[in-house]
Amino acid sequence: MNAANSADTRSAERSVAGPGARRRPIIEPFKIKVVEPIRLTTRQERTTYLEAAGYNVFKLRAEDVLIDLLTDSGTSAMSADQWAAVMRGDEAYAGSKSWYRFEAAVKDIFGFAHVIPTHQGRAAERILFSTVCRPGHVVPSNTHFDTTRANIEAAGAEAVDMPIPEGLVPSRVHPFKGNMDVAALEALIADVGADRIPICMLTVTNNTGGGQPVSMANIRAVSEVCHAHGIPFYLDACRFAENAWFIKEREEGFDHRSAREIAREMFSYADGCTMSAKKDALVNIGGFLATNDTSLARQEQNLLILTEGFPTYGGLAGRDLEAIAVGLEEVLREDYLTYRIASVRWLGRHLTEGGVPIVQPPGGHAVYLDAAAFLPHVPPLQLPGQSLVAELYVEGGVRGVEIGTVMFGHTDPDTGEEVPSRMELVRLAIPRRVYTESQIDYLVDVVLDVWDRREAIGGFRFVEQTPVLRHFTARFEPLYEMT
Ligand code: P71
C-alpha cells in the first residue's frame, strides 16, 4: 500500500486506545523544557528589512524572522539527554572517551570500517572529492545537493544528476521519487567508461528533488551496477533515518522491521558515506566521512589533520561528538519518526487542500512549493522561486529557501546564456522538534494568503552575484511593485 497516496491525516493508524475509542492524533513525543521567544514584526518592518538585505533572505537577521524554515540543517532542538551528554564531553586532544562513544554509535548504524569526524557535511565532501576526483572525472548521483556539486566541481570533476523521470515532475505521485535512473547510470558508464567515474552517490533523501526517498531496491540496484564495474558506491546520508522510515512505510517487506535495521541494510550496500550530522543526528554542528577502504581512509585522515583536526575529533569538540552519539540513537526511535513524517505530511496536506501546488508527495524534512506552477506568469529566468520566498517573508515573517534557478541555474559555457534549473521550487524545511502544530497552522495561512494574491506577484532579477554558490550572497531587485 502506498502511504503517500492514502488520505493521510495526523491520526494515529495504530491506536493505543481501547476498543471503540476515538482515533487519536499523532502528537509531539516530547514536552518543552526550554523556550526561545520569537518576534512578530510588522509588514512595514519586514519590507524594510528585506530591501536592506538585497531581497536575499540569507542576509536577514534571524531575529527578524518569525518562523524560520530556511533549513533543517543545524536547527534541531536537542534533547535533555543530549545536553546531559554535552556535559560529559571529554575534551582530550587525542583518544577522548567521547570519540570512542561517537565511533561506536556511528559504526553500530552505518557499519563502515573507518569513521572520520568533520565539522560538517561539506568538509567530508571536500576531503572525499579532493582525494578521489581529478579533472575529466564524472560523479553521478540521483541529484547532488548544492555543496556536493560545488565540491565535485572544485576538484575539477563533473557532477551529473540522474533522477528517475517522475522525480522531475512536481505534481507526480510516486513512493520513491528520489530513486536514481539505473538505465541512465548504465548508459553513462558505457559512454564515459568506469575508469572516469571515481565514485557514484545516492543522496538519501533526495534534498534537491523534494526530500524524496530512495527505495531499498534502488539502493541495491545502483550498488550492483557500480560494483559490477568496480565503481565505489557512496550514500550522502544526511537524512538516512527519514529515508529508512519511508522504506518502512512504503516498500514491500519492510513494515515489520525497525528503522535501525532498515538503515543498517541501506548502508550494507555502500562502500562509504558522507554525513552532515546537522540533519538526522539531531545536533547543531558536526558530520563525518566513512569508508571501508583502508588506504583511502589513510589519505583522508592526512588531509583531515591538515585542515580539520586530529582524527579522533576532526574539528569537533568532545561535547559535539557526545551529542551526535545520542542524537543518532534518538533519531531512529519509532515515536520520533512517526511524528516527524506525520507533521511534514500534515503541512503538505493542508497546502494541497488549499489548492497550492507542491511537490507530491510531501518529503521527509520539508514541503516544497512548486513556484513554476504557483506563478506560471513569471518565466524561470525572472526567478519565480525568489519572488515566492520574498512574498512569504513580507506576508508573515516566514523564511523559506529558493531551490531553483537562483541555486542551480548556470551560464552555458558555449552560448554564454543563462540556463534555468530543471525545477523552480521553494523549500519550507521543518527544523526537527522545534515548531508546534499551531505554528505550522499559522504557516499554512501565510502561504494561502500569498496564494490568494498570486496574480499580482511578478519576477526578480540579480543585481549582484558570485560565480560559486551564488544563492548565499547574491542581491536581487523586484521587477514589480511589492505590496
Ligand atoms: C540544507 C543544507 C544546508 C544548506 C545548504 C544551502 C542553503 C542553506 C542550507 C546540506 C547538505 C545536504 C546534503 C544532501 C550535503 C549537505 C552539506 N544541506 N548533502 O539542506 O542537504 O552539509 O551543511 O553540513 O555542510 O539546508 P553541511
Side-chain angles (χ1 to χ4, degrees):
M1 177 31 213
N2 174 6
N5 281 327
S6 67
D8 209 292
T9 68
R10 217 166 169 172
S11 298
E13 246 115 69
R14 289 170 312 281
S15 175
V16 290
R22 286 174 178 77
R23 275 160 67 90
R24 296 180 186 168
I26 293 171
I27 59 169
E28 290 83 0
F30 49 80
K31 56 183 179 173
I32 296 167
K33 191 191 282 286
V34 177
V35 296
E36 190 178 348
I38 52 177
R39 185 170 74 100
L40 182 58
T41 49
T42 64
R43 193 180 189 95
Q44 183 52 50
E45 282 171 330
R46 292 193 291 275
T47 305
T48 310
Y49 298 147
L50 192 63
E51 195 184 337
Y55 296 92
N56 185 341
V57 291
F58 281 99
K59 294 188 171 181
L60 289 172
R61 284 171 177 263
E63 66 179 341
D64 299 334
V65 175
L66 184 68
I67 307 282
D68 201 349
L69 310 179
L70 183 71
T71 179
D72 63 319
S73 179
T75 52
S76 294
M78 292 216 295
S79 67
D81 280 354
Q82 284 178 295
W83 283 110
V86 163
M87 287 306 296
R88 220 171 43 205
D90 174 1
E91 304 303 341
Y93 189 95
S96 74
K97 279 190 281 194
S98 303
W99 153 252
Y100 287 106
R101 276 196 203 103
F102 165 87
E103 189 192 30
V106 173
K107 283 191 171 173
D108 182 55
I109 300 164
F110 294 72
F112 299 114
H114 306 282
V115 181
I116 297 166
T118 59
H119 77 276
Q120 63 184 88
R122 69 196 73 178
E125 290 166 359
R126 187 189 61 81
I127 289 171
L128 173 65
F129 299 131
S130 66
T131 308
V132 303
C133 290
R134 298 283 168 271
H137 280 172
V138 178
V139 181
S141 170
N142 48 351
T143 314
H144 294 284
F145 196 56
D146 65 341
T147 56
T148 321
R149 168 171 286 276
N151 272 295
I152 291 167
E153 290 171 353
E158 189 190 343
V160 179
D161 295 337
M162 305 192 138
I164 55 169
E166 292 87 339
L168 293 171
V169 187
S171 59
R172 191 75 184 271
V173 175
H174 182 289
F176 292 103
K177 250 179 145 172
N179 283 355
M180 186 184 231
D181 184 337
V182 182
L185 173 65
E186 286 175 312
L188 177 82
I189 297 170
D191 184 30
V192 307
D195 54 336
R196 280 181 54 203
I197 305 179
I199 193 167
C200 169
M201 300 195 83
L202 277 178
T203 310
V204 295
T205 57
N206 183 6
N207 189 13
T208 313
Q212 302 292 323
V214 179
S215 69
M216 194 71 88
N218 192 252
I219 293 174
R220 209 181 297 123
V222 171
S223 166
E224 278 166 13
V225 170
C226 289
H227 292 149
H229 292 90
I231 299 168
F233 167 54
Y234 272 56
L235 289 174
D236 177 340
C238 303
R239 300 176 180 88
F240 75 97
E242 290 165 5
N243 199 89
W245 193 253
F246 281 123
I247 289 176
K248 183 179 169 72
E249 277 189 347
R250 299 181 185 173
E251 194 163 350
E252 186 84 42
F254 289 94
D255 56 341
H256 293 300
R257 295 182 50 193
S258 70
R260 178 179 295 264
E261 284 168 346
I262 296 171
R264 280 189 183 133
E265 183 174 337
M266 286 162 49
F267 293 114
S268 74
Y269 300 117
D271 302 294
C273 75
T274 55
M275 172 76 185
S276 169
K278 299 172 73 171
K279 286 86 171 172
D280 269 352
L282 299 172
V283 293
N284 307 117
I285 197 73
F288 56 87
L289 174 60
T291 174
N292 286 329
D293 181 333
T294 303
S295 109
L296 179 64
R298 291 269 145 72
Q299 294 175 56
E300 290 169 344
Q301 278 165 338
N302 289 337
L303 202 50
L304 186 85
I305 292 172
L306 190 66
T307 58
E308 289 273 311
F310 190 71
T312 64
Y313 76 87
L316 293 170
R319 52 180 165 269
D320 298 323
L321 297 167
E322 291 277 352
I324 294 170
V326 177
L328 286 173
E329 195 271 314
E330 292 180 353
V331 80
L332 288 167
R333 288 189 193 158
E334 187 146 329
D335 58 356
Y336 164 75
L337 282 167
T338 303
Y339 139 79
R340 170 72 177 159
I341 300 301
S343 64
V344 175
R345 195 174 286 151
W346 168 264
L347 169 61
R349 184 166 69 93
H350 282 84
L351 292 178
T352 304
E353 282 172 4
V356 178
I358 65 165
V359 174
Q360 297 288 1
H365 66 297
V367 166
Y368 293 62
L369 306 178
D370 179 359
F374 200 117
L375 302 174
H377 51 282
V378 179
L381 293 180
Q382 288 186 15
L383 317 174
Q386 189 58 34
S387 307
L388 260 190
V389 168
E391 290 289 346
L392 289 170
Y393 177 68
V394 171
E395 184 65 45
V398 170
R399 174 158 70 168
V401 74
E402 197 262 12
I403 301 195
T405 294
V406 174
M407 195 181 272
F408 287 109
H410 63 278
T411 309
D412 185 306
D414 301 327
T415 66
E417 272 176 34
E418 179 81 3
V419 184
S421 165
R422 297 208 259 191
M423 290 191 280
E424 301 295 336
L425 306 176
V426 170
R427 185 183 71 176
L428 305 174
I430 312 297
R432 295 170 180 77
R433 307 190 291 206
V434 170
Y435 292 116
T436 61
E437 193 176 314
S438 66
Q439 289 166 330
I440 299 292
D441 291 343
Y442 168 93
L443 164 66
V444 170
D445 284 352
V446 170
V447 178
L448 293 178
D449 286 341
V450 175
W451 173 244
D452 287 347
R453 55 182 182 78
R454 61 192 177 278
E455 276 158 25
I457 299 171
F460 267 76
R461 68 178 195 92
F462 279 100
V463 288
E464 225 180 274
Q465 57 176 300
T466 54
V468 180
L469 296 172
R470 62 183 181 179
H471 45 287
F472 289 115
T473 52
R475 296 182 78 84
F476 305 91
E477 208 171 68
L479 296 166
Y480 67 107
E481 192 75 45
M482 287 184 80
T483 49

